[in-house]
Amino acid sequence: MSTSAKTSPTWAILSLITNGVLFLAVILLIWRQQDVTAFLANILPNHVNANASSQPTPELGNRHKLSYQQWVDILKQEAKVVAEKRPTHLTILAGDSLSLWFPPELLPENRNWLNQGISGENSTGLLKRLELFDRTQPETIFVMIGINDLIQGYDDEIILNNHRQIMRYLRKVHPQIQIVIQSILPHAGEEATWEGREKLLNIPNSRILKLNQQLKTLATKEGVKYLNLHPLFVNNQGNLRPEFSTDGLHLNPQGYLVWSSALQLYSQMELEDQ
């Protein structure tokens, strides 16, 4: 299919109709200035509660008590198994707790997923452990990292430089695949209930927006893809929509369904036809 055909309104409409619930991501872009809670309540699967913002952060059992090195060792072993089995259509999620807690049942079903997220991870840590999945043969790697850098007080230049090195490393080791840098999500500001709320309040969401713009420019320069999720999750005040979050920082099932729909739609419109 030609580029012009792919970007035509007719093609886009047909794609949305064909893919059913995948139109959610686009609808949210159009309706982001409005209250979509009632709309979501009517169309989300039964296992996704429209009032899920009151739900607790997903439980990880004993894993939640692991040290950072123990997490790394587990992810290394999981990547090793995947490298040996070589599943088809392998896609990697690399990042922090937002990736870590992505419910497996909400991930797009047309791919095999390897989750390489660690709670509390920053861009420096991710850069150092990219080699864990060197031997895997993914089709796509989705990266989301940076919010913990901001919480931990790192300058934007450090975050951008680490992203640059992440992009270059992945392009060198996996030259034939699609690498997608995802935007940093906003936080809920004054409405946040996360235990580190005061740290969040020291990070203006306008700073995150500007950093995302710089990430987009950097991704283009480095020859990788950029997926801007930010507009899907932001409200009129520029903050994370409370109906998509458990505590103003982490996502609830409703938020993950939005993210999943965006991944599915983006993959079909930007990746699979190339």
Side-chain angles (χ1 to χ4, degrees):
M1 184 178 293
S2 67
T3 302
S4 60
K6 285 173 57 181
T7 56
S8 69
T10 300
W11 185 90
I13 292 172
L14 288 175
S15 176
L16 295 179
I17 294 174
T18 301
N19 293 296
V21 75
L22 300 180
F23 80 111
L24 174 60
V26 174
I27 290 294
L28 285 171
L29 276 172
I30 297 173
W31 285 27
R32 71 175 191 264
Q33 301 299 325
Q34 304 178 33
D35 184 2
V36 297
T37 304
F39 170 74
L40 288 168
N42 290 327
I43 68 170
L44 295 183
N46 291 333
H47 64 272
V48 179
N49 190 329
N51 295 317
S53 58
S54 61
Q55 295 179 1
T57 301
E59 290 294 334
L60 295 176
N62 292 331
R63 279 195 170 198
H64 192 55
K65 302 177 183 178
L66 297 177
S67 68
Y68 181 82
Q69 186 55 52
Q70 288 173 323
W71 269 116
V72 170
D73 292 341
I74 288 176
L75 295 186
K76 181 179 181 180
Q77 182 60 34
E78 291 177 350
K80 179 181 179 181
V81 171
V82 167
E84 293 172 350
K85 293 187 175 181
R86 297 187 179 184
T88 59
H89 306 301
L90 177 64
T91 303
I92 295 176
L93 282 179
D96 51 33
S97 60
L98 291 172
S99 297
L100 168 66
W101 281 326
F102 208 124
E105 67 274 13
L106 292 184
L107 285 166
E109 297 179 354
N110 60 338
R111 295 168 176 260
N112 285 296
W113 293 87
L114 174 63
N115 194 320
Q116 293 280 288
I118 292 182
S119 183
E121 184 67 289
N122 58 31
S123 60
T124 299
L126 178 59
L127 176 61
K128 291 179 179 179
R129 63 180 176 86
L130 293 176
E131 63 181 21
L132 296 183
F133 49 87
D134 277 359
R135 293 178 55 246
T136 63
Q137 298 181 351
E139 288 185 354
T140 309
I141 299 176
F142 287 99
V143 177
M144 180 189 286
I145 200 73
I147 187 62
N148 287 316
D149 295 71
L150 295 171
I151 291 172
Q152 294 161 15
Y154 289 100
D155 294 335
D156 292 4
E157 286 305 313
I158 294 177
I159 301 172
L160 291 169
N161 184 56
N162 282 341
H163 270 86
R164 182 182 296 106
Q165 294 186 64
I166 289 170
M167 295 176 201
R168 291 180 178 179
Y169 182 92
L170 292 177
R171 285 192 63 207
K172 179 180 179 181
V173 178
H174 309 276
Q176 304 300 321
I177 75 165
Q178 299 285 357
I179 300 164
V180 184
I181 301 298
Q182 301 168 102
S183 59
I184 301 171
L185 298 185
H187 58 78
E190 293 287 348
E191 296 185 41
T193 59
W194 180 58
E195 59 185 2
R197 179 177 179 274
E198 294 305 316
K199 295 180 180 179
L200 289 182
L201 295 179
N202 289 329
I203 308 167
N205 273 313
S206 58
R207 179 184 174 190
I208 294 178
L209 181 60
K210 181 180 179 181
L211 186 56
N212 282 333
Q213 293 168 344
Q214 293 173 302
L215 283 175
K216 179 180 179 180
T217 300
L218 181 59
T220 300
K221 182 178 180 181
E222 295 296 330
V224 305
K225 300 287 187 179
Y226 177 77
L227 174 55
N228 187 14
L229 297 168
H230 190 275
L232 298 173
F233 289 89
V234 71
N235 61 18
N236 291 340
Q237 290 73 46
N239 300 330
L240 177 64
R241 286 181 174 272
E243 64 266 33
F244 292 159
S245 177
T246 60
D247 56 9
L249 175 62
H250 300 95
L251 301 180
N252 60 23
Q254 191 169 315
Y256 278 111
L257 182 60
V258 173
W259 188 356
S260 175
S261 299
L263 290 179
Q264 181 76 28
L265 187 60
Y266 183 82
S267 296
Q268 292 188 339
M269 298 184 71
E270 295 292 332
L271 303 180
E272 293 180 3
D273 288 336
Q274 295 189 7

